[in-house]
Amino acid sequence: MARTPLDLDELVEHWTLLKDEQALVSGKRGATRLGLAVLLKFYTQYGRFPRNRAELPGEAVEFVARSVQVPASELWVRWSAGRRRCTGRGR
């Protein structure tokens, strides 16, 4: 089932960083700043982290990217590079 694109009102309501969230991401740079911001907003809205990249609405990533002044493409480069899975076990 195709997802309905988010309109500007939905983006502003659900994907705008609040002051405390801005403070959390302000010390980060580049893809790390954008990734943290996107994950914070996704978690706030859904109560969990995204399982994969496809769960992140592209227009929401672009919206957050503009607000933290990091190109959205940096997130996709970081995501494509792979993520390590934390198992809670020592190596």
Side-chain angles (χ1 to χ4, degrees):
M1 186 164 112
R3 185 182 54 79
T4 304
L6 299 173
D7 63 26
L8 183 58
D9 290 338
E10 291 171 308
L11 290 169
V12 169
E13 181 179 352
H14 299 292
W15 294 93
T16 298
L17 291 173
L18 304 176
K19 286 234 186 247
D20 59 335
E21 294 166 336
Q22 290 173 1
L24 283 173
V25 303
S26 67
K28 309 296 182 209
R29 295 183 307 182
T32 302
R33 181 185 328 161
L34 176 56
L36 178 57
V38 168
L39 290 175
L40 280 170
K41 296 316 295 181
F42 189 95
Y43 187 85
T44 300
Q45 188 170 357
Y46 298 103
R48 64 176 178 81
F49 294 107
R51 291 181 192 95
N52 56 51
R53 171 182 170 168
E55 286 191 308
L56 297 172
E59 61 268 35
V61 172
E62 291 285 343
F63 181 82
V64 174
R66 283 191 300 274
S67 74
V68 298
Q69 299 176 344
V70 175
S73 60
E74 286 194 30
L75 179 65
W76 303 133
V77 169
R78 169 63 66 91
W79 198 289
S80 297
R83 300 182 326 178
R84 295 176 188 232
R85 185 174 177 198
C86 180
T87 62
R89 291 180 259 146
R91 289 186 182 230

